[in-house]
Amino acid sequence: MVRCPKCATEVDVDEDEVEEGEILACPECETEMEVVQIHPVKVNAISDDEDDEDEEDEESDDEDGVVEDDDEEEEEDDA
């Protein structure tokens, strides 16, 4: 039995049935947790912040690409 690091709900985990690195989901708050130790079972919450930052970076890259394309078209018009 482990507790969700976010909401402290007890999550029923059999240490004989999980593997280190396995991803579990809290039934209450749906936080994803990675099993970091088996005997006894310990878990760490997987941060959603990293995913959000990656998405923001991709959006920034897309915006930059559009600006660069516009610049190239303006140069062609001037020529």
Side-chain angles (χ1 to χ4, degrees):
M1 187 78 63
V2 296
R3 289 195 178 270
C4 172
K6 295 260 181 173
C7 70
T9 298
E10 289 186 352
V11 180
D12 188 21
V13 177
D14 186 352
E15 59 187 38
D16 294 327
E17 295 181 8
V18 295
E19 295 181 11
E20 200 168 310
E22 187 172 336
I23 306 299
L24 307 174
C26 174
E28 192 68 30
C29 70
E30 298 181 3
T31 295
E32 290 186 333
M33 303 170 283
E34 179 180 9
V35 177
V36 294
Q37 182 178 324
I38 300 175
H39 298 287
V41 176
K42 290 187 180 179
V43 296
N44 284 339
I46 297 175
S47 175
D48 290 337
D49 294 342
E50 292 175 6
D51 294 337
D52 293 342
E53 288 174 9
D54 290 344
E55 290 174 8
E56 289 173 8
D57 289 344
E58 289 174 6
E59 290 174 7
S60 296
D61 292 344
D62 291 344
E63 291 172 6
D64 291 344
V66 170
V67 172
E68 289 174 9
D69 291 341
D70 289 344
D71 290 343
E72 289 176 9
E73 289 177 12
E74 287 177 16
E75 289 175 11
E76 291 173 7
D77 292 342
D78 292 339

